[in-house]
Amino acid sequence: MDALAVGSLYALIALGYTMVYGILKFINFAHSDVFVLGAWTAYRAALCAGWTNDGVPEPIARWVLWILGLIAAVGLVLAVVGRTVVKPPPGALGQSGPARAGSTLLAVGVWGWACVGLVLLARVLKAGGMEYVAGGVILLLAMGTCGVVGFCIERLAYKPLRKAPRLNVLITAIGVSLLLQNVGQLDWMFGTQPARMPSLVAQDKPLLTILGTPNADGSIAGGVNVWLVDVIGAGTAIILMIALDRLVFQTKIGRAMRAVSYNPTTAALMGIPVDRVISFTFVLGAVLAAAAGFLYTQKYPGLLQPATGTWVLLGLKAFVAAVVGGIGNIRGAMAGGLLIGLIEFFGVGYVSTEYRDVYVFGLLIVVLLVRPSGLLGKAVAEKV
Amino acid sequence: MLEVSNLCVNYGAIKALHSVSLTVGKGEIVTLIGGNGAGKTTTLRAISGIVKPASGSIIYDGRPLATLAPHEIVRLGLIQAPEGRGIFPNMTVAENLELGAFTRNDRAGIEADREKALGLFPRLRERIEQNAGTLSGGEQQMLAIARALLARPKLLLLDEPSLGLAPQIVQVIFQIIREINAAGTTILLVEQNAHMALKVAHRAYVLEVGRVVMQGPAAELAASDEVQDHYMGRKRAGH
Ligand SMILES: Nc1ncnc2c1ncn2[C@@H]1O[C@H](COP(=O)(O)OP(=O)(O)OP(=O)(O)O)[C@@H](O)[C@H]1O
Ligand SMILES: [Mg+2]
């Protein structure tokens, strides 16, 4: 069960790596930091919603409100000015540059306020005893926040480099990753101290035990414990993955994503707004990583400070999952994540806990030797 | 309908087009012929906004295209079926056609156009759920044209639709190009197969190393010695 729960988290993170690689052909090193951000955002939001020791909700940080207000205000001004004063260049379709930028900023600001609203909603729900619903709201909030952050990262850091050599983009990604780690450690963000995530799902005893032997007094010895957190965690992850699979393979935007991933130029000739599709892909990846971050905090409540190696290692394992499944392949990433989870926990359970990372990276080496393009990846045949 | 004037395009230090000018009138088939590397594809790429010109202007339906992104140009009804067909091999024929209609939301209209396109290319209907990568070269070309038609082109740019196809298939494709034009779509046709291109086109331009070296009614060019020598493979006595 551990294997399934953690494997599905790896899979969620791996999807972000694989989707971005599929479209932009570079490894987004900042992706694991978005996952960490999701975990810490969920923690903060949980405190604000009232999961504190004394049950009194923490106030929402003042700076959050200031920044969100500022973004929305600037966006509003730009949007209005861009629509009235600035004329679009001759022949242009739609609105002028400032108007578009303004609308985008405004949307970000409004979304931020909506997140604040979500915190308050969670607070009310929690106070009203509907803790599970409140937990769901916090999950949404973490996903939403990271979605916006993912969008901004792509817009500010990667989009200007669309035509630059891939190495530059890769180095930028490392830079973004370091930036996120260090901002995360600032006092007014998450600080440098580890924290303990409150458990939003009550779990004093396992949901059920399979393959155990009942004792005379009715308790059960041995067997496999199935915990509610694991069921909820794996369930949520699997629902998200099915939703994503549907989105990619059965909707118009999904078709556009696959077209851009195969060839952006031809995709543009179909009238597909390539940049918007790329943004959308980043947001999707970040949203899934945030969900994984939240679910992870429920399974492992000890939250290390944002720049710790453990986080990096988790991200790395998810990346391995993406490679094992065949990088660029969405179903591969899902399979890869689950496989990595299984290998890791069966290794830990039946061989030795000491080598848990060895199993994962050992699997990577084996897969790369036997099937260099990954389990579901196609052999790369460059077309002439 | 389309007016290209003094178009220059550079790829880094390579000058691919030196001051190309051409016009396409509503309802015409205009062909652009020339040898390998003459700059035909580059001209189409510039018109579709994929490469940005160093100088010169492109005016379509009275609107300069310089500030528009490729996907915005598509929305104006200027559709290109690119060189090498540019189909999506890992998607089905049906999905490729859907992508052609990406900018449209009128379900009923799309359905009608799809029926029309499949009527032109019955072979595609038989293979509708097949991955496009498994089609033969000729069928892929048919798919590329059908897909472009689903975008409801006002001006259709075709880049070497006859490339690599057997003569019979080429006949079929050119016949269909005529039909598309007869139904009201303006066409700018890039070809190396000057013989066929000059037969279907009303007017023609000859491109040589990035310059227009000849232009005129297709029939006149087809009859000229230079075109016959260089592009239609006639051997003159003594050569
Ligand atoms: N992406 C590119 N980078 C650098 N040079 C290029 C690029 N694309 C084309 N060229 C050069 O520009 C010139 C014109 O190329 P273009 O593809 O337009 O020719 P063409 O007429 O379409 O030829 P063909 O009939 O072989 O398709 C050639 O010299 C070519 O080498
Ligand atoms: Mg060409």
Side-chain angles (χ1 to χ4, degrees), chain B residues 52-119:
Chain B
K52 289 291 160 214
S55 64
S57 76
I58 301 167
I59 299 189
Y60 165 74
D61 254 353
R63 179 200 283 274
L65 298 185
T67 56
L68 297 186
H71 71 270
E72 294 173 320
I73 293 176
V74 170
R75 284 179 186 270
L76 301 175
L78 206 171
I79 313 297
Q80 178 175 170
E83 185 171 31
R85 296 149 198 156
I87 55 149
F88 297 102
N90 42 3
M91 295 191 211
T92 63
V93 170
E95 284 183 306
N96 269 276
L97 293 176
E98 289 272 346
L99 278 169
F102 184 84
T103 54
R104 301 170 59 188
N105 287 316
D106 54 325
R107 265 281 130 216
I110 294 175
E111 195 47 45
D113 284 352
R114 190 178 119 122
E115 281 310 303
K116 237 188 268 171
L118 291 176

Coordinates of all heavy atoms in Angstrom, one line a residue, chain B residues 52-119:
Chain B
K52 N 10.6 35.6 -39.9 CA 10.3 37.1 -40.0 C 11.2 37.7 -41.1 O 12.4 37.4 -41.1 CB 10.6 37.7 -38.6 CG 9.6 37.4 -37.6 CD 8.2 38.0 -37.8 CE 7.1 37.3 -37.1 NZ 5.8 37.2 -37.8
P53 N 10.6 38.4 -42.0 CA 11.4 39.0 -43.1 C 12.4 40.1 -42.5 O 12.1 40.7 -41.5 CB 10.3 39.7 -43.9 CG 9.0 39.3 -43.4 CD 9.2 38.8 -42.1
A54 N 13.5 40.2 -43.2 CA 14.5 41.2 -42.9 C 13.9 42.6 -43.4 O 14.1 43.6 -42.7 CB 15.8 41.0 -43.5
S55 N 13.3 42.6 -44.5 CA 12.6 43.8 -45.0 C 11.6 43.4 -46.0 O 11.5 42.2 -46.4 CB 13.6 44.7 -45.6 OG 14.2 44.1 -46.8
G56 N 10.8 44.4 -46.5 CA 9.7 44.1 -47.4 C 8.4 44.0 -46.7 O 8.3 43.9 -45.5
S57 N 7.3 43.9 -47.5 CA 6.0 43.8 -46.8 C 5.2 42.7 -47.4 O 5.3 42.3 -48.6 CB 5.3 45.1 -46.9 OG 4.8 45.3 -48.2
I58 N 4.3 42.2 -46.6 CA 3.3 41.2 -47.1 C 1.9 41.7 -46.7 O 1.7 41.9 -45.5 CB 3.6 39.8 -46.4 CG1 5.0 39.4 -46.7 CG2 2.6 38.8 -46.8 CD1 5.5 38.2 -45.8
I59 N 1.1 41.9 -47.7 CA -0.2 42.5 -47.4 C -1.3 41.5 -47.9 O -1.2 41.0 -49.0 CB -0.4 43.8 -48.1 CG1 0.6 44.8 -47.5 CG2 -1.9 44.3 -47.8 CD1 0.5 46.2 -47.9
Y60 N -2.1 41.1 -47.0 CA -3.2 40.1 -47.3 C -4.5 40.7 -47.0 O -4.7 41.2 -45.9 CB -2.9 38.8 -46.5 CG -4.1 37.8 -46.4 CD1 -4.3 37.0 -47.5 CD2 -4.9 37.7 -45.3 CE1 -5.4 36.2 -47.5 CE2 -5.9 36.8 -45.3 CZ -6.2 36.0 -46.4 OH -7.2 35.2 -46.4
D61 N -5.4 40.7 -48.0 CA -6.7 41.3 -47.8 C -6.6 42.7 -47.2 O -7.4 43.1 -46.3 CB -7.5 40.4 -46.8 CG -8.6 39.6 -47.6 OD1 -8.8 39.8 -48.8 OD2 -9.2 38.8 -46.9
G62 N -5.6 43.4 -47.7 CA -5.5 44.8 -47.2 C -4.8 45.0 -45.9 O -4.8 46.1 -45.3
R63 N -4.4 43.9 -45.3 CA -3.9 43.9 -43.9 C -2.4 43.5 -43.9 O -2.1 42.4 -44.4 CB -4.7 43.0 -43.1 CG -4.3 42.9 -41.6 CD -4.8 41.6 -41.1 NE -6.3 41.6 -40.8 CZ -6.8 42.0 -39.6 NH1 -6.0 42.5 -38.7 NH2 -8.1 42.0 -39.4
P64 N -1.5 44.4 -43.4 CA -0.1 43.9 -43.3 C 0.0 42.8 -42.2 O -0.6 42.9 -41.2 CB 0.6 45.2 -42.8 CG -0.4 46.1 -42.2 CD -1.7 45.7 -42.8
L65 N 0.8 41.8 -42.6 CA 0.9 40.6 -41.7 C 2.1 40.7 -40.8 O 2.3 39.8 -39.9 CB 1.0 39.3 -42.6 CG -0.2 39.0 -43.5 CD1 0.0 37.7 -44.2 CD2 -1.5 39.0 -42.7
A66 N 2.9 41.7 -40.9 CA 4.2 41.7 -40.2 C 4.1 41.5 -38.7 O 4.9 40.8 -38.1 CB 4.9 43.1 -40.4
T67 N 3.0 42.1 -38.1 CA 2.9 42.0 -36.6 C 2.2 40.7 -36.1 O 2.0 40.5 -34.9 CB 2.2 43.2 -36.0 OG1 0.9 43.2 -36.7 CG2 2.9 44.5 -36.3
L68 N 1.8 39.9 -37.1 CA 0.9 38.8 -36.6 C 1.8 37.5 -36.4 O 2.7 37.2 -37.1 CB -0.1 38.5 -37.7 CG -1.1 39.6 -37.9 CD1 -2.2 39.2 -38.8 CD2 -1.7 40.1 -36.6
A69 N 1.3 36.7 -35.4 CA 1.9 35.4 -35.2 C 1.3 34.4 -36.2 O 0.2 34.6 -36.7 CB 1.7 35.0 -33.8
P70 N 2.0 33.3 -36.4 CA 1.5 32.3 -37.4 C 0.1 31.9 -37.1 O -0.8 31.8 -38.0 CB 2.5 31.1 -37.2 CG 3.7 31.7 -36.8 CD 3.3 32.9 -35.9
H71 N -0.2 31.6 -35.8 CA -1.6 31.1 -35.6 C -2.7 32.2 -35.8 O -3.8 31.9 -36.1 CB -1.7 30.5 -34.2 CG -1.7 31.6 -33.1 ND1 -0.5 32.0 -32.5 CD2 -2.7 32.2 -32.5 CE1 -0.8 32.9 -31.5 NE2 -2.1 33.0 -31.5
E72 N -2.3 33.5 -35.7 CA -3.2 34.5 -36.0 C -3.5 34.6 -37.5 O -4.6 34.9 -38.0 CB -2.7 35.9 -35.5 CG -2.6 35.9 -33.9 CD -2.0 37.2 -33.4 OE1 -1.0 37.6 -34.0 OE2 -2.5 37.7 -32.4
I73 N -2.4 34.4 -38.3 CA -2.5 34.5 -39.7 C -3.5 33.4 -40.2 O -4.3 33.6 -41.1 CB -1.1 34.4 -40.4 CG1 -0.3 35.6 -40.0 CG2 -1.2 34.2 -41.9 CD1 1.1 35.6 -40.5
V74 N -3.4 32.2 -39.6 CA -4.3 31.1 -39.9 C -5.8 31.5 -39.7 O -6.7 31.2 -40.5 CB -4.0 29.9 -39.0 CG1 -5.1 28.8 -39.2 CG2 -2.6 29.3 -39.4
R75 N -6.0 32.3 -38.6 CA -7.4 32.7 -38.4 C -7.9 33.6 -39.5 O -9.1 33.8 -39.6 CB -7.5 33.5 -37.0 CG -7.4 32.5 -35.9 CD -7.4 33.1 -34.5 NE -7.2 32.1 -33.5 CZ -8.2 31.4 -33.0 NH1 -9.4 31.7 -33.3 NH2 -7.9 30.4 -32.2
L76 N -7.0 34.2 -40.3 CA -7.5 35.1 -41.3 C -7.9 34.3 -42.6 O -8.2 34.9 -43.6 CB -6.5 36.2 -41.7 CG -6.0 37.1 -40.5 CD1 -4.9 38.0 -41.0 CD2 -7.2 37.9 -40.1
G77 N -7.7 33.0 -42.5 CA -8.0 32.2 -43.7 C -6.9 31.9 -44.6 O -7.1 31.5 -45.8
L78 N -5.7 32.3 -44.2 CA -4.5 32.0 -45.0 C -3.8 30.7 -44.5 O -3.2 30.7 -43.4 CB -3.5 33.2 -44.9 CG -2.6 33.5 -46.0 CD1 -1.9 34.8 -45.8 CD2 -1.6 32.4 -46.2
I79 N -4.0 29.7 -45.2 CA -3.7 28.3 -44.7 C -2.6 27.7 -45.6 O -2.6 27.8 -46.8 CB -4.9 27.4 -44.8 CG1 -6.1 28.1 -44.2 CG2 -4.6 26.1 -44.1 CD1 -6.1 28.5 -42.8
Q80 N -1.6 27.1 -44.9 CA -0.5 26.5 -45.6 C -0.5 25.0 -45.4 O -0.6 24.5 -44.2 CB 0.9 27.1 -45.2 CG 2.0 26.4 -45.9 CD 3.4 27.0 -45.6 OE1 4.4 26.4 -45.9 NE2 3.5 28.1 -45.0
A81 N -0.4 24.2 -46.4 CA 0.0 22.8 -46.3 C 1.5 22.7 -46.5 O 2.0 22.9 -47.7 CB -0.8 22.0 -47.3
P82 N 2.3 22.5 -45.5 CA 3.7 22.7 -45.6 C 4.4 21.6 -46.4 O 3.9 20.6 -46.7 CB 4.2 22.7 -44.1 CG 3.1 21.8 -43.4 CD 1.8 22.1 -44.1
E83 N 5.7 21.9 -46.7 CA 6.5 21.0 -47.4 C 6.7 19.7 -46.6 O 6.8 19.8 -45.3 CB 7.9 21.7 -47.6 CG 8.9 20.9 -48.4 CD 10.2 21.7 -48.7 OE1 10.5 22.6 -47.8 OE2 10.8 21.5 -49.7
G84 N 6.8 18.6 -47.3 CA 6.9 17.4 -46.5 C 5.7 17.0 -45.8 O 5.7 16.2 -44.9
R85 N 4.6 17.6 -46.1 CA 3.2 17.3 -45.7 C 2.9 17.7 -44.2 O 1.8 18.1 -43.9 CB 2.9 15.8 -45.9 CG 2.9 15.5 -47.3 CD 3.3 14.1 -47.6 NE 3.8 14.0 -49.0 CZ 4.6 13.0 -49.4 NH1 5.1 12.2 -48.6 NH2 4.9 13.0 -50.7
G86 N 3.9 17.5 -43.3 CA 3.7 18.0 -42.0 C 2.5 17.4 -41.3 O 1.8 18.1 -40.5
I87 N 2.2 16.2 -41.6 CA 1.1 15.6 -40.8 C 1.6 15.1 -39.5 O 2.8 15.0 -39.3 CB 0.4 14.4 -41.6 CG1 1.6 13.4 -41.9 CG2 -0.2 14.8 -42.9 CD1 1.1 12.0 -42.0
F88 N 0.7 14.8 -38.6 CA 1.1 14.3 -37.3 C 1.0 12.7 -37.3 O -0.1 12.2 -37.2 CB 0.2 14.9 -36.2 CG 0.4 16.4 -36.1 CD1 -0.6 17.2 -36.6 CD2 1.5 16.9 -35.5 CE1 -0.4 18.6 -36.6 CE2 1.7 18.3 -35.5 CZ 0.7 19.1 -36.0
P89 N 2.1 12.0 -37.4 CA 2.1 10.6 -37.7 C 1.5 9.8 -36.5 O 1.0 8.7 -36.8 CB 3.5 10.3 -38.0 CG 4.3 11.4 -37.3 CD 3.4 12.6 -37.4
N90 N 1.6 10.3 -35.3 CA 1.2 9.5 -34.2 C -0.3 9.8 -33.8 O -0.8 9.3 -32.8 CB 2.1 9.7 -33.0 CG 2.5 11.1 -32.8 OD1 2.0 12.0 -33.6 ND2 3.3 11.4 -31.8
M91 N -1.0 10.5 -34.7 CA -2.4 10.7 -34.5 C -3.1 10.1 -35.6 O -2.6 9.9 -36.7 CB -2.7 12.2 -34.4 CG -2.1 12.9 -33.2 SD -2.8 14.5 -33.1 CE -1.4 15.4 -32.4
T92 N -4.4 9.8 -35.4 CA -5.2 9.2 -36.5 C -5.5 10.2 -37.6 O -5.3 11.4 -37.4 CB -6.5 8.6 -35.9 OG1 -7.3 9.7 -35.5 CG2 -6.3 7.6 -34.8
V93 N -6.0 9.7 -38.7 CA -6.4 10.5 -39.8 C -7.5 11.5 -39.3 O -7.4 12.7 -39.5 CB -6.9 9.7 -41.0 CG1 -7.6 10.6 -42.0 CG2 -5.8 8.9 -41.6
A94 N -8.4 10.9 -38.5 CA -9.5 11.8 -38.0 C -9.0 12.9 -37.1 O -9.4 14.0 -37.2 CB -10.5 10.9 -37.2
E95 N -8.0 12.6 -36.3 CA -7.4 13.6 -35.4 C -6.7 14.7 -36.2 O -6.8 15.9 -35.8 CB -6.5 13.0 -34.3 CG -7.2 12.2 -33.2 CD -6.3 11.7 -32.2 OE1 -5.3 11.0 -32.6 OE2 -6.4 12.0 -31.0
N96 N -6.0 14.2 -37.2 CA -5.3 15.2 -38.0 C -6.3 16.2 -38.7 O -6.1 17.4 -38.7 CB -4.5 14.5 -39.1 CG -3.1 14.2 -38.7 OD1 -2.2 15.0 -38.8 ND2 -2.9 13.0 -38.2
L97 N -7.4 15.6 -39.1 CA -8.5 16.5 -39.7 C -9.0 17.5 -38.7 O -9.2 18.6 -38.9 CB -9.6 15.6 -40.3 CG -9.1 14.8 -41.6 CD1 -10.3 13.9 -42.0 CD2 -8.6 15.7 -42.7
E98 N -9.2 16.9 -37.5 CA -9.8 17.8 -36.4 C -8.8 19.0 -36.2 O -9.2 20.1 -35.9 CB -9.8 17.0 -35.1 CG -10.9 16.0 -35.0 CD -12.2 16.6 -34.6 OE1 -12.2 17.7 -34.0 OE2 -13.3 15.9 -34.7
L99 N -7.5 18.7 -36.2 CA -6.5 19.7 -36.0 C -6.6 20.8 -37.1 O -6.4 22.0 -36.8 CB -5.1 19.2 -35.9 CG -4.7 18.6 -34.5 CD1 -3.4 17.8 -34.6 CD2 -4.6 19.7 -33.5
G100 N -6.9 20.4 -38.3 CA -7.1 21.3 -39.4 C -8.2 22.3 -39.0 O -8.1 23.5 -39.4
A101 N -9.2 21.9 -38.3 CA -10.3 22.7 -38.0 C -10.1 23.4 -36.6 O -11.1 23.9 -36.0 CB -11.6 21.9 -38.0
F102 N -8.9 23.4 -36.1 CA -8.6 23.9 -34.8 C -9.2 25.3 -34.5 O -9.8 25.5 -33.4 CB -7.1 24.0 -34.5 CG -6.8 24.3 -33.1 CD1 -6.8 23.4 -32.1 CD2 -6.5 25.6 -32.7 CE1 -6.6 23.7 -30.8 CE2 -6.3 26.0 -31.4 CZ -6.3 25.0 -30.4
T103 N -9.2 26.2 -35.4 CA -9.6 27.5 -35.1 C -11.1 27.7 -35.2 O -11.6 28.8 -34.9 CB -9.0 28.5 -36.1 OG1 -9.3 28.1 -37.5 CG2 -7.5 28.6 -36.0
R104 N -11.8 26.6 -35.6 CA -13.3 26.8 -35.8 C -14.1 26.2 -34.7 O -13.6 25.2 -34.0 CB -13.7 26.1 -37.1 CG -13.0 26.7 -38.3 CD -13.2 25.9 -39.5 NE -14.6 25.8 -39.9 CZ -15.1 25.0 -40.8 NH1 -14.2 24.2 -41.5 NH2 -16.4 24.9 -41.1
N105 N -15.2 26.7 -34.4 CA -16.1 26.1 -33.4 C -17.5 25.7 -33.9 O -18.3 25.2 -33.2 CB -16.3 27.1 -32.3 CG -15.0 27.3 -31.5 OD1 -14.4 26.3 -31.1 ND2 -14.6 28.5 -31.2
D106 N -17.7 25.9 -35.2 CA -19.0 25.6 -35.8 C -19.1 24.1 -36.1 O -18.7 23.7 -37.2 CB -19.3 26.4 -37.0 CG -18.2 26.3 -38.0 OD1 -17.0 26.2 -37.6 OD2 -18.5 26.3 -39.2
R107 N -19.5 23.3 -35.1 CA -19.5 21.9 -35.3 C -20.1 21.4 -36.6 O -19.6 20.6 -37.3 CB -20.3 21.2 -34.1 CG -19.4 20.8 -33.0 CD -18.7 19.4 -33.2 NE -17.3 19.5 -33.0 CZ -16.4 18.9 -33.7 NH1 -16.7 18.1 -34.8 NH2 -15.1 18.9 -33.5
A108 N -21.3 22.0 -36.9 CA -22.0 21.5 -38.1 C -21.2 21.8 -39.3 O -21.1 21.0 -40.2 CB -23.4 22.2 -38.1
G109 N -20.7 23.1 -39.4 CA -19.9 23.5 -40.5 C -18.6 22.6 -40.7 O -18.3 22.2 -41.8
I110 N -18.0 22.3 -39.6 CA -16.8 21.4 -39.6 C -17.2 20.0 -40.2 O -16.5 19.5 -41.1 CB -16.2 21.2 -38.2 CG1 -15.7 22.6 -37.7 CG2 -15.1 20.2 -38.3 CD1 -15.1 22.5 -36.3
E111 N -18.3 19.5 -39.7 CA -18.8 18.2 -40.1 C -19.0 18.2 -41.6 O -18.6 17.3 -42.4 CB -20.0 17.8 -39.3 CG -20.4 16.4 -39.4 CD -19.2 15.4 -39.2 OE1 -18.5 15.7 -38.2 OE2 -19.1 14.5 -40.0
A112 N -19.7 19.3 -42.1 CA -20.0 19.4 -43.5 C -18.7 19.4 -44.4 O -18.5 18.8 -45.4 CB -20.8 20.6 -43.8
D113 N -17.7 20.3 -43.9 CA -16.4 20.4 -44.6 C -15.7 19.1 -44.6 O -14.9 18.8 -45.6 CB -15.6 21.5 -44.0 CG -16.1 22.9 -44.4 OD1 -17.0 22.9 -45.3 OD2 -15.7 23.9 -43.9
R114 N -15.8 18.4 -43.5 CA -15.1 17.1 -43.4 C -15.6 16.1 -44.4 O -14.9 15.4 -45.1 CB -15.3 16.5 -42.0 CG -14.4 15.4 -41.6 CD -14.7 15.0 -40.2 NE -15.2 13.6 -40.2 CZ -14.6 12.7 -39.5 NH1 -13.6 12.9 -38.8 NH2 -15.1 11.5 -39.6
E115 N -17.0 16.1 -44.5 CA -17.6 15.2 -45.5 C -17.1 15.6 -46.9 O -16.8 14.8 -47.8 CB -19.1 15.3 -45.4 CG -19.7 14.5 -44.3 CD -19.2 13.1 -44.3 OE1 -19.4 12.4 -45.3 OE2 -18.6 12.7 -43.3
K116 N -17.1 16.9 -47.2 CA -16.7 17.4 -48.5 C -15.2 16.9 -48.8 O -14.9 16.4 -49.9 CB -16.7 18.9 -48.5 CG -17.6 19.5 -49.6 CD -17.5 21.0 -49.7 CE -18.6 21.7 -48.9 NZ -18.3 23.1 -48.8
A117 N -14.3 17.1 -47.8 CA -12.9 16.8 -48.0 C -12.8 15.3 -48.2 O -12.0 14.8 -49.1 CB -12.1 17.2 -46.8
L118 N -13.5 14.5 -47.4 CA -13.5 13.0 -47.6 C -14.1 12.6 -48.9 O -13.7 11.6 -49.5 CB -14.2 12.3 -46.4 CG -13.4 12.5 -45.1 CD1 -14.2 11.8 -44.0 CD2 -12.0 11.9 -45.2
G119 N -15.0 13.4 -49.4 CA -15.6 13.2 -50.7 C -14.5 13.3 -51.8 O -14.4 12.6 -52.8

